[in-house]
Amino acid sequence: MLDKAKTQLDPITVEVIGSALTTIVEEMGKAIIRAAYSTNIKERQDCSTALFDAEGRTIAQAEHIPVHLGSLLGIAEHVFKNHDLSTVRPGDVFVGNDAYTGGGTHLNDIVFLEPIFHGGKLVAWVTNLAHHSDFVDRGHAHIFQEGLRIPPVRLYREGVLQEDLMQLILLNCQVPRERINDFRAQMAANRLGVQRYQALCDKYGAETVRAAGAQVLDYTERRTRAGIAQIPDGTYSFRHDFDSNLVDGVMDLKVVIEVKGDEIFVDFPDAPEQVRAPINMVYTALLATVYFAVKAVVDPDLPANAGFHRPIHVSAPLGSVLNSTPPAAVYSRTDIGQRLVDMIFAALADVVPERIAAASTGGTLLTTSGIHPRTGRFYVYNEMHGGGMGARADKDGLDGVQVNTTNTANLPIEALEIEHPVMVKCYELVQDSGGAGQYRGGMTLRRRVEMLDHTARISAGGTNSIVPPFGLKGGQDGLTARVELSPGAKPLDRRAGILQPGEWVGMVAAGGGGFGDPKKRDRALVERDLREERISRQAAVEIYGLKL
């Protein structure tokens, strides 16, 4: 009988197995979403899945949340460095969430990592992450205030749940009923991934699957290098201000990109020192952000695996907001990450304008919590709001979407109102919110949410309330973000506040920046925008020069 492990790997076999690996992580993602209990996971799909090979290299990641790659990378690296792999057994499951000990990039992202064995040998790892809407009404001066820190530890040993550890975790959660059920969804996804990978090994042989995975990484590296080589050699830079209502004033950020043949070096020199606020990023979060931006520029269809990472080099000063050290708070790390993506795009705008977009909406988050008047239980409603995408060189930005590293789904009004004691008063696109240009920036959204029959603690705000998303090549800036409160409601302090029954909070994220001179916009497009009320009559006349 032919030994499958020694079979010559042809390109078709590599492609088939590579596609199967991608399918496994995509199926795992579907399993989490279908089995999850909380709206943040089952509706907003705030979760990610991946496969690592036996050496801990990413061989497949589902296209869910780009910044989650940082969390997934962290737990694998920590387990490999701090645990004796010879003691790992089938059914062991590591859990972690701590940004500084390898569990995640902020504490709400809880990661499950499980080994895959075949024929008694460790052949791969399966992992998933879900953002748990918990740890609310907390300070964010440092990470000790932000929630329970879990270093990567075994939650299951040989398939047996460590009940004492689970009780420790649940005791520190404010919505434990949601957590235990979401944990079960994550476990179901991992077990599915283990079974699918083992079935693949049964069919082709474990060594063949391993070899095919390695060749997929090499292929991705070659393809990435070829894409980078299409960018002219040189050094490109861009600086811009960043604002957040979690800190006073604005920060000066700069990116310097050097392209050398088929490698790219992304440096953030002189990044501000880490701050006593939750906008800091750990290095793995910075990596995930840069990987997303480079992938978008070089080749959006590239597989997100370790082969893609090889020609990309990222640096930022240790102890800065972009490469923080303990005990810096990190909860809102995507706020600054979103702006970094815009800056990387802008730095390359002169050499590859057809591949980039003007600045898009930043991070805008609304969280409400309190005692649910119908159930008597504590609840948490958490939502990252969509806004406007920046315009491209040949098309308008998309309206009312998540962008860049967040990529969560829309939370339907029906699902929100069924599960939480709130009522959505309006949910609409905002006229004139996209930056004008030859191609218009995407329109943002307004969502107003009223508290029903209870007093709620809220956290509302984000970025771009001072500095708008910038336009490129003569395009105008998008609309700045803002928080709206019902008349009589007490003002917020650094995003935090209290709403009484019947009071509402409104979120308006930023609009996308425009691309190109507005006077060059096709008249038919201006007339369409005016007819569909995307722009006002005043904007049509004064900005675009339309004669009415």
Side-chain angles (χ1 to χ4, degrees), residues 145-434:
Q145 294 182 345
E146 296 194 298
L148 176 66
R149 299 176 66 185
I150 311 169
V153 292
R154 286 179 174 90
L155 182 61
Y156 286 76
R157 289 182 179 271
E158 298 186 55
V160 178
L161 174 65
Q162 306 303 290
E163 292 283 358
D164 53 353
L165 179 55
M166 177 63 81
Q167 291 305 314
L168 174 64
I169 294 173
L170 294 178
L171 185 62
N172 284 274
C173 294
Q174 292 172 267
V175 196
R177 186 164 174 258
E178 280 190 0
R179 299 293 71 74
I180 187 65
N181 287 293
D182 287 342
F183 288 158
R184 288 167 179 161
Q186 289 184 259
M187 279 302 304
N190 267 8
R191 293 292 163 81
L192 176 64
V194 170
Q195 293 170 8
R196 293 290 188 264
Y197 192 93
Q198 288 173 335
L200 199 63
C201 292
D202 289 340
K203 183 175 182 179
Y204 293 99
E207 183 59 28
T208 296
V209 174
R210 184 207 64 78
Q215 289 195 29
V216 168
L217 300 189
D218 292 341
Y219 161 76
T220 303
E221 179 184 1
R222 292 194 300 271
R223 185 169 160 184
T224 304
R225 290 184 181 277
I228 293 173
Q230 294 179 12
I231 303 173
D233 282 3
T235 300
Y236 312 100
S237 64
F238 188 81
R239 68 148 305 277
H240 201 69
D241 290 333
F242 164 78
D243 72 281
S244 166
N245 50 21
L246 291 168
V247 294
D248 294 327
V250 298
M251 291 184 175
D252 182 25
L253 299 177
K254 182 179 181 179
V255 61
V256 177
I257 302 173
E258 184 177 10
V259 179
K260 286 184 177 180
D262 59 3
E263 296 199 341
I264 188 167
F265 299 79
V266 183
D267 181 33
F268 298 91
D270 305 318
E273 292 184 359
Q274 61 192 49
V275 295
R276 197 173 167 85
I279 61 171
N280 304 288
M281 302 177 74
V282 293
Y283 184 65
T284 52
L286 179 63
L287 282 179
T289 299
V290 173
Y291 289 158
F292 166 81
V294 173
K295 185 174 185 288
V297 172
V298 171
D299 184 350
D301 294 326
L302 280 169
N305 60 40
F308 164 68
H309 306 157
R310 292 169 185 166
I312 305 170
H313 310 276
V314 184
S315 59
L318 188 64
S320 68
V321 291
L322 306 184
N323 188 7
S324 62
T325 58
V330 295
Y331 176 72
S332 298
R333 79 275 188 239
T334 54
D335 282 9
I336 201 166
Q338 295 283 65
R339 177 48 49 93
L340 298 184
V341 174
D342 294 333
M343 292 173 59
I344 292 171
F345 288 168
L348 298 172
D350 287 338
V351 288
V352 284
E354 71 284 358
R355 302 186 193 179
I356 58 92
S360 299
T361 186
T364 308
L365 182 69
L366 170 63
T367 302
T368 77
S369 62
I371 302 300
H372 198 303
R374 295 197 303 272
T375 66
R377 297 193 184 100
F378 191 80
Y379 83 93
V380 178
Y381 154 53
N382 176 82
E383 183 171 12
M384 179 74 76
H385 282 256
M389 176 185 173
R392 282 73 55 87
D394 58 353
K395 55 178 69 72
D396 293 342
L398 299 177
D399 300 325
V401 293
Q402 291 285 341
V403 298
N404 299 342
T405 61
T406 54
N407 198 40
T408 50
N410 172 64
L411 176 55
I413 293 174
E414 296 83 358
L416 171 58
E417 294 182 340
I418 286 172
E419 301 211 15
H420 301 303
V422 301
M423 180 175 67
V424 177
K425 296 179 67 67
C426 77
Y427 196 21
E428 61 188 6
L429 292 168
V430 179
Q431 188 182 69
D432 284 338
S433 57

Side-chain angles (χ1 to χ4, degrees), residues 21 24-25 28 50-55 59-60 80 85 88-94 112-128 189-202 206 209-210:
L21 296 173
I24 290 172
V25 293
M28 288 171 58
L51 279 169
F52 300 130
D53 64 14
E55 289 74 40
I59 54 175
F80 274 63
L85 298 187
V88 174
R89 299 289 181 265
D92 286 358
V93 178
F94 292 88
F112 282 46
L113 176 71
E114 182 171 356
I116 304 175
F117 283 79
H118 188 269
K121 183 180 179 181
L122 176 60
V123 293
W125 298 79
V126 62
T127 185
N128 72 72
N190 267 8
R191 293 292 163 81
L192 176 64
V194 170
Q195 293 170 8
R196 293 290 188 264
Y197 192 93
Q198 288 173 335
L200 199 63
C201 292
D202 289 340
V209 174
R210 184 207 64 78

